[in-house]
Amino acid sequence: MAYSVRFIHDVFFNGEPVDLPKTPHEPPRWMKVPVEILVVLCLVVGIAPALTVAPLLAVAAAATLQAPLPAYHLALWHGFNPALAMSLAAIAGGILIYAMHRPLLALHEHSLGRLDARRGFNALLEALFAISGWITRRIDTGSLQRQVFLFLAAALVLGFTPWLDSTSALTGSRTGLPLDAVSLLAGATLIVASLATVWLHRQRLTALITLGVVGLVVSLAFVKFSAPDLALTQLSVEVVTIVLLLLALYFLPQHAAPEHDPGRVWRDGVIALVAGSGAALLSWAVMTRPYDTIAGYFLANSVPGGGGKNVVNVILVDFRGYDTLGEITVLALAGLGIYALLENLRLDAPDRDAAGRVWDRDAHPVIMASLSRLLLPLALLVAVFILLRGHNQPGGGFIAGLVTAVALIVQYLAHGGAWMRERLSSTTQPLIAAGLALATLTGLASWAYGYPFLTSTFGHLNWPLVGEFELASAMAFDLGVFLVVVGATLLILVNLGALHDSRTRKAAR
Amino acid sequence: MEALLALVIGVLTASGVFLALRGQTFPVVLGLTLLSYAVNLFLFVMGRLAIGVPPVISSAAAYTDPLPQALVLTAIVISFGMTAFVIVLALKARAELGNDHVDGVHADEADPR
Amino acid sequence: MTLFLAVLIPFVGAALVALVSRLGRSHSAWAAGAVTLASLAVLLPLFALPFGGDTLVQQHDWIPALGLNLAFRFDGLALLFAGLILGIGLLIVLYARYYLSERDSMGRFYSYLMLFMGSMLGIVLSENLIQLLIFWELTSLSSFLLISYWQHRKEARQGARMALAITGLGGFALLGGFLLLGHIVGSYELSVVLASGDLIRAHPLYVPTLVLVLLGVFTKSAQFPFHFWLPHAMAAPTPVSAYLHSATMVKAGVFLLARLYPALSGTPEWFWLVSGAGLTTLLLGAFVALFKHDLKGLLAYSTLSHLGLITLLFGLSTPLAAVAGVFHIINHATFKASLFMAAGIIDHEAGTRDMRRLHGLWKFMPYTATLAMVAAAAMAGVPLMNGFLSKEM
């Protein structure tokens, strides 16, 4: 209609161009081809609709209506009917409007042309930002310490409210296990170490050591109460965590100033006591009650359904594989996030310890270096062993991954980052990617066989020499878990350690 | 035995909460680690205590509940990831802000709001 | 598996295109073309199905326990749109190869374009409403990336933000609408939803459902009063305007109108809301287009006006009008994409899009001028062109 006329007349005719930035000429050949094709389509459809577009239109319209099509007729010439007259009138009207569009344009510039929906939109957007900013400032004072306090206090209030009108007894009817002396001793150690961590938290290295004691006793507790998988995991995580915290501690003040505000210590102490007693009472109440578990399903189906005897591992890689996939993704993200955070990080580190003594120049003692080199193949062998037997015996991808990571980290500790860099690439991102891809592909593979995502299968193979060997698709998944755990753990620790290395080298120069 | 475990969980929780409320980053990380021990143990004991009956299918007559164990196993690994992330955040904050307070300022420097 | 593969190919292709762009500038264009052809080739064997009156539904179990499945549907409407998306997409890939200048990163452009193509295919081939919504949001996101392709330009960033805010808002409303639909019908499968039109229309929640779904449709298809993002989205490179903002993405809204037509249409509320918005947009777009000095601005407002026409046709709720609406979708895609590409050529060759300065280009580029004139004539509804036919109906 009118604007089409304007487009053609204004652009291609209507006098000479007014100071164009460059002289136009025909565009490259292939740039016109797409336009040509479409224009030819326009013409073909326009001239012979029944031959070209009619079938396509019929099926598309039928799918739209989900009903029989109405009678219609596609043709160029319908005869002189009102529709044709209207079309012609519209074209004539369009040309007429264009002919007098200059005065209209002038009128428009002074009236409606000033309206701009963008202004309204932007004003609305600014107002929304202002309101949300105001609400945020009401709630958030910018102090994390305060937020944590409010959060914990709210959690305590919510946690204790239901107890107020509860009439049932605290202690349930389940008979407990008898207490033995070793457990008592371990428990006492744990409690003392835990309290020591709190008491000594300003002497940070000491606090870290007591924290390690807590972790070790926790893993002993897992051994005691029939959870060998957990004990292995806890043990290796403990090692990794302590190494990590030690590395970080290097860049943080070794000692902290005492609290300014004794009132705050008392306040926090009360909160902590309330939270602790709440947790203790709740655990007691739960542990002394008989319970009904869904574990029977897992125990019954582990061997026939998942092909593994270690139920914990079968749950991880098979029954609840979806969760595990999510968890290794989280771990991978944490690793990559840390890598990004450490990029371009500049930190001043002290060249002497808190008491003013210069760090020992002999960074890599010979005995430790030689011993750790001997240990590496053994440790890797153990890792492979744990990975392979994980489906039937305590072990699996998580633990094997951690053991491998620990074995390699010991090399870093014994020889230093520079020595290791000559032998092993410190970019473990491909490892993480491969692990995630393997785990996801294992899941997707079940689609190819028409099963839901992450359905696992297994079979038994008779290998020469080894004898009967079970092969489950869950093992590929577990291998993915293994790769992600190794990759992420190494990525975190090696990069933090590299930060450390570049400091020492600078100090040595 | 149950009472001992309950006491241990309580002490771990109390220590963790107290440290998590400190102003410097390092004690907060220690506190979070202690809290995650407490939470892991708490989740673990939801399957009740049992000695000498690991959930590995054999000729044994009874097994302990494997489900809490599977949940706790991943929780341990995830909490390691979280601890690592938090401690590196603390390092980053120290690099950017020049101190190790959780709010980026020392309590005495903070403007009263 | 076939339909899933057709949707998956462009997504995988997006990464592939970005990777091969390191090899050279033309490589990514070739790769993008190959990806489009591959997706087309996967679909091609199925093209005969709808003509035989069949609807193909393919389902893959995802989390069967939660009733979440990947489900794809191939019928006449999906055939039409998939053909448009891939066919015009192929032409755009070719065109953009010559349109982008030396300074523009080819890999990034084609990667975004493939991402968009996959999302758009996902919309038209979806059988599950929730899955459709996910692809719907993906088109909003990839459109944001494509509009802001020239990141150094302020109007590109602003236009992209506006488009994302408006379409994102619409997507949110649409989610509400779909959840209500699922609640009423008891299933998110399109086959079930489409078959239970009477149940939906009689339900007390019909009006809120309709309003929420229409909010999604109107924001995506730039219907009044959400029309204003489309002209600002013209800050995108012209191939993007031709592809997203005339031929495909803005048609997603219209597509949904067509898709849910059996389920929602035929009530007074539908009539007043849909045809009212359509008519307003039709008149407003035509009126404003007349006064635009920017070549692409003019085309943008004329797109608004044509989208308004299509919406109006669906709003009339008579079968004949709906057929005409579908027909106009085809015609508009062909002539408007060619006009945008012609405008891009003019911009590319003359260095400006200001119609107060562009005059008398016939002398310099008679061939392009002829092409553009034919397309414009089709748009105006001159006899012998396809635009005439759909206006006639």
Side-chain angles (χ1 to χ4, degrees):
Chain A
M1 290 174 274
Y3 51 81
S4 309
V5 180
R6 176 166 180 234
F7 177 78
I8 293 307
H9 186 247
D10 252 10
V11 174
F12 292 114
F13 304 102
N14 205 8
E16 292 297 310
V18 188
D19 69 329
L20 292 180
K22 50 184 179 181
T23 315
H25 47 77
E26 287 284 342
R29 182 79 199 86
W30 287 101
M31 203 161 169
K32 282 180 299 191
V33 168
V35 190
E36 281 164 10
I37 294 175
L38 287 174
V39 166
V40 167
L41 274 179
C42 283
L43 279 172
V44 169
V45 168
I47 294 168
L51 296 179
T52 50
V53 79
L56 177 66
L57 177 61
V59 288
T64 306
L65 293 173
Q66 301 275 314
L69 286 177
Y72 65 96
H73 187 54
L74 275 182
L76 187 56
W77 187 249
H78 288 267
F80 285 103
N81 54 12
L84 179 68
M86 274 165 64
S87 280
L88 290 177
I91 293 168
I95 296 174
L96 193 68
I97 292 176
Y98 176 67
M100 49 186 288
H101 94 282
R102 264 168 219 293
L104 277 176
L105 192 61
L107 186 69
H108 177 80
E109 298 271 294
H110 288 102
S111 54
L112 288 169
R114 301 187 171 198
L115 284 176
D116 188 356
R118 173 159 61 172
R119 227 168 286 161
F121 171 80
N122 280 343
L124 188 67
L125 207 61
E126 295 305 324
L128 277 177
F129 278 143
I131 292 174
S132 45
W134 181 80
I135 294 173
T136 313
R137 278 192 299 278
R138 291 292 104 186
I139 303 169
D140 184 0
T141 56
S143 162
L144 181 69
Q145 204 175 0
R146 194 181 156 77
Q147 298 281 340
V148 173
F149 169 71
L150 289 177
F151 177 76
L152 282 172
L156 284 182
V157 170
L158 286 178
F160 269 95
T161 320
W163 286 32
L164 291 178
D165 53 21
S166 157
T167 48
S168 49
L170 183 65
T171 310
S173 57
R174 190 173 183 267
T175 39
L177 296 168
L179 191 64
D180 58 86
V182 180
S183 307
L184 190 62
L185 184 66
T189 317
L190 196 149
I191 289 170
V192 169
S194 171
L195 291 176
T197 312
V198 174
W199 192 253
L200 298 171
H201 77 265
R202 273 187 290 279
Q203 277 116 47
R204 295 183 166 177
L205 191 59
T206 325
L208 198 54
I209 293 168
T210 52
L211 185 76
V213 173
V214 176
L216 289 179
V217 180
V218 169
S219 67
L220 283 181
F222 287 141
V223 176
K224 172 90 182 166
F225 299 112
S226 328
D229 283 287
L230 287 189
L232 284 170
T233 316
Q234 177 69 51
L235 195 64
S236 35
V237 162
E238 195 53 42
V239 175
V240 182
T241 308
I242 297 296
V243 172
L244 175 84
L245 290 181
L246 268 177
L247 281 173
L249 191 57
Y250 181 67
F251 296 104
L252 290 171
Q254 312 292 313
H255 290 271
E259 297 278 343
H260 297 280
D261 185 0
R264 171 168 275 175
V265 176
W266 281 109
R267 184 197 74 182
D268 294 348
V270 169
I271 292 244
L273 276 182
V274 174
S277 42
L281 289 176
L282 191 60
S283 322
W284 171 254
V286 171
M287 278 189 283
T288 51
R289 279 173 164 71
Y291 76 126
D292 193 22
T293 171
I294 56 171
Y297 172 81
F298 296 115
L299 290 167
N301 284 292
S302 178
V303 175
K309 295 202 186 76
N310 179 3
V311 187
V312 175
N313 186 266
V314 174
I315 290 177
L316 282 178
V317 298
D318 193 334
F319 294 126
R320 304 197 60 85
Y322 212 68
D323 287 3
T324 311
L325 187 62
E327 272 143 358
I328 56 175
T329 313
V330 170
L331 191 65
L333 284 179
L336 294 176
I338 287 169
Y339 179 72
L341 277 176
L342 287 177
E343 189 110 68
N344 297 323
L345 187 66
R346 294 277 163 272
L347 270 175
D348 291 324
D351 55 354
R352 51 197 70 218
D353 72 356
R357 289 174 295 238
V358 180
W359 296 125
D360 191 354
R361 290 278 171 198
D362 184 13
H364 310 301
V366 176
I367 295 180
M368 181 173 172
S370 329
L371 267 182
S372 68
R373 253 189 263 182
L374 279 176
L375 274 177
L376 178 66
L378 279 177
L380 291 181
L381 189 69
V382 168
V384 172
F385 175 67
I386 288 179
L387 175 67
L388 285 180
R389 73 171 204 162
H391 220 45
N392 291 319
Q393 295 285 315
F398 275 108
I399 301 163
L402 285 165
V403 169
T404 310
V406 169
L408 289 170
I409 282 160
V410 167
Q411 305 303 311
Y412 277 93
L413 287 180
H415 301 287
W419 189 88
M420 283 301 281
R421 256 189 301 280
E422 291 167 15
R423 287 156 181 82
L424 193 71
S425 164
S426 66
T427 42
T428 56
Q429 289 94 323
L431 218 57
I432 300 180
L436 273 183
L438 185 61
T440 314
L441 283 179
T442 316
L444 285 176
S446 52
W447 266 5
Y449 297 99
Y451 289 101
F453 187 64
L454 275 173
T455 309
S456 83
T457 178
F458 63 95
H460 293 266
L461 278 183
N462 249 322
W463 286 20
L465 295 178
V466 187
E468 191 181 278
F469 187 78
E470 189 205 335
L471 207 59
S473 77
M475 283 180 76
F477 186 80
D478 219 11
L479 188 63
V481 173
F482 169 79
L483 289 176
V484 172
V485 172
V486 174
T489 315
L490 279 183
L491 189 66
I492 294 169
L493 284 168
V494 171
N495 281 293
L496 196 55
L499 194 70
H500 189 273
D501 265 5
S502 61
R503 288 298 122 190
T504 14
R505 255 180 283 137
K506 202 168 280 176
R509 253 177 242 148
Chain B
M1 194 69 91
E2 273 79 4
L4 180 67
L5 254 289
L7 184 66
V8 161
I9 291 171
V11 170
L12 282 175
T13 312
S15 318
V17 166
F18 183 80
L19 286 179
L21 283 166
R22 294 306 88 205
Q24 272 91 29
T25 48
F26 194 73
V28 173
V29 176
L30 290 185
L32 287 177
T33 313
L34 283 177
L35 263 181
S36 65
Y37 291 148
V39 171
N40 289 344
L41 273 179
F42 181 75
L43 286 179
F44 173 64
V45 302
M46 289 300 107
R48 306 303 187 274
L49 300 183
I51 294 174
V53 280
V56 177
I57 305 289
S58 60
S59 54
Y63 307 103
T64 185
D65 192 344
L67 192 59
Q69 295 195 16
L71 299 182
V72 170
L73 199 152
T74 47
I76 293 173
V77 180
I78 293 293
S79 61
F80 161 67
M82 186 202 67
T83 309
F85 197 81
V86 171
I87 194 81
V88 173
L89 262 185
L91 286 185
K92 188 81 176 170
R94 173 149 161 90
E96 300 278 323
L97 303 166
N99 64 54
D100 70 333
H101 195 270
V102 285
D103 300 336
V105 285
H106 282 296
D108 49 0
E109 291 168 6
D111 54 333
R113 258 177 294 196
Chain C
M1 203 68 194
T2 340
L3 293 174
F4 178 49
L5 203 62
V7 177
L8 192 67
I9 285 175
F11 282 106
V12 177
L16 185 79
V17 165
L19 281 179
V20 300
S21 71
R22 295 183 186 180
L23 301 178
R25 291 181 58 76
S26 304
H27 285 73
S28 40
W30 283 113
V35 167
T36 316
L37 276 177
S39 190
L40 201 57
V42 167
L43 281 183
L44 216 49
L46 302 177
F47 270 30
L49 278 177
F51 288 106
D54 293 327
T55 298
L56 177 68
V57 174
Q58 290 182 339
Q59 198 147 335
H60 307 282
D61 289 342
W62 178 251
I63 311 177
L66 292 178
L68 286 179
N69 297 314
L70 271 182
F72 294 95
R73 173 192 182 86
F74 195 68
D75 59 5
L77 193 63
L79 163 77
L80 167 66
F81 270 88
L84 278 181
I85 293 162
L86 292 170
I88 296 189
L90 201 58
L91 298 178
I92 294 288
V93 166
L94 177 63
Y95 176 80
R97 164 67 187 86
Y98 295 94
Y99 178 83
L100 292 177
S101 73
E102 288 295 316
R103 277 161 298 153
D104 301 325
S105 152
M106 287 266 184
R108 192 156 61 90
F109 180 83
Y110 281 114
S111 187
Y112 292 165
L113 202 67
M114 291 298 109
L115 210 60
F116 170 77
M117 189 185 282
S119 327
M120 193 67 207
L121 274 179
I123 291 186
V124 301
L125 295 179
S126 277
E127 157 78 3
N128 186 305
L129 284 178
I130 300 296
Q131 180 194 336
L132 190 151
L133 187 84
I134 292 172
F135 286 117
W136 180 279
E137 297 287 1
L138 277 176
T139 59
S140 296
L141 280 179
S142 47
S143 149
F144 171 81
L145 292 172
L146 281 167
I147 298 174
S148 61
Y149 175 70
W150 283 320
Q151 295 152 338
H152 51 279
R153 299 194 185 167
K154 184 159 181 270
E155 68 263 35
R157 296 195 302 268
Q158 271 185 350
R161 188 176 78 161
M162 190 184 285
L164 186 69
I166 300 287
T167 50
L169 190 75
F172 196 54
L174 194 61
L175 173 63
F178 280 173
L179 289 178
L180 281 178
L181 262 185
H183 171 71
I184 295 173
V185 181
S187 163
Y188 292 108
E189 305 294 312
L190 262 176
S191 319
V192 185
V193 171
L194 294 188
S196 35
D198 293 328
L199 173 73
I200 298 171
R201 280 186 287 269
H203 200 274
L205 284 174
Y206 170 69
V207 177
T209 312
L210 180 69
V211 169
L212 286 173
V213 171
L214 287 183
L215 269 177
V217 167
F218 290 170
T219 48
K220 199 75 161 182
S221 279
Q223 296 299 298
F224 182 81
F226 306 107
H227 60 282
F228 52 88
W229 69 264
L230 186 59
H232 291 295
M234 290 300 141
T238 303
V240 173
S241 311
Y243 192 38
L244 270 71
H245 305 128
S246 72
T248 54
M249 187 180 101
V250 288
K251 297 277 170 58
V254 183
F255 166 80
L256 199 64
L257 272 187
R259 193 43 117 192
L260 294 178
Y261 184 82
L264 293 175
S265 70
T267 59
E269 292 91 346
W270 168 278
F271 175 77
W272 287 111
L273 285 173
V274 179
S275 61
L279 188 63
T280 319
T281 320
L282 168 66
L283 296 177
L284 183 90
F287 180 72
V288 178
L290 196 55
F291 302 110
K292 275 284 158 185
H293 295 305
D294 179 11
L295 205 53
K296 277 174 78 180
L298 183 148
L299 290 177
Y301 275 102
S302 89
T303 305
L304 278 184
S305 141
H306 283 275
L307 287 169
L309 174 65
I310 300 171
T311 311
L312 174 64
L313 285 171
F314 280 115
L316 291 178
S317 295
T318 65
L320 190 62
V323 174
V326 174
F327 191 29
H328 200 63
I329 289 176
I330 309 176
N331 294 333
H332 180 251
T334 49
F335 65 68
K336 191 52 65 65
S338 56
L339 274 177
F340 264 114
M341 287 197 249
I345 292 178
I346 293 168
D347 183 14
H348 195 261
E349 294 299 325
T352 179
R353 301 194 311 236
D354 190 338
M355 291 176 61
R356 282 165 300 193
R357 289 159 72 193
L358 289 166
H359 295 304
L361 290 188
W362 174 263
K363 269 176 273 178
F364 300 101
M365 33 169 56
Y367 190 70
T368 312
T370 318
L371 291 177
M373 277 162 67
V374 176
M379 173 161 82
V382 172
L384 291 182
M385 316 292 167
N386 56 4
F388 171 71
L389 288 173
S390 50
K391 280 185 186 169
E392 194 88 327
M393 281 171 80

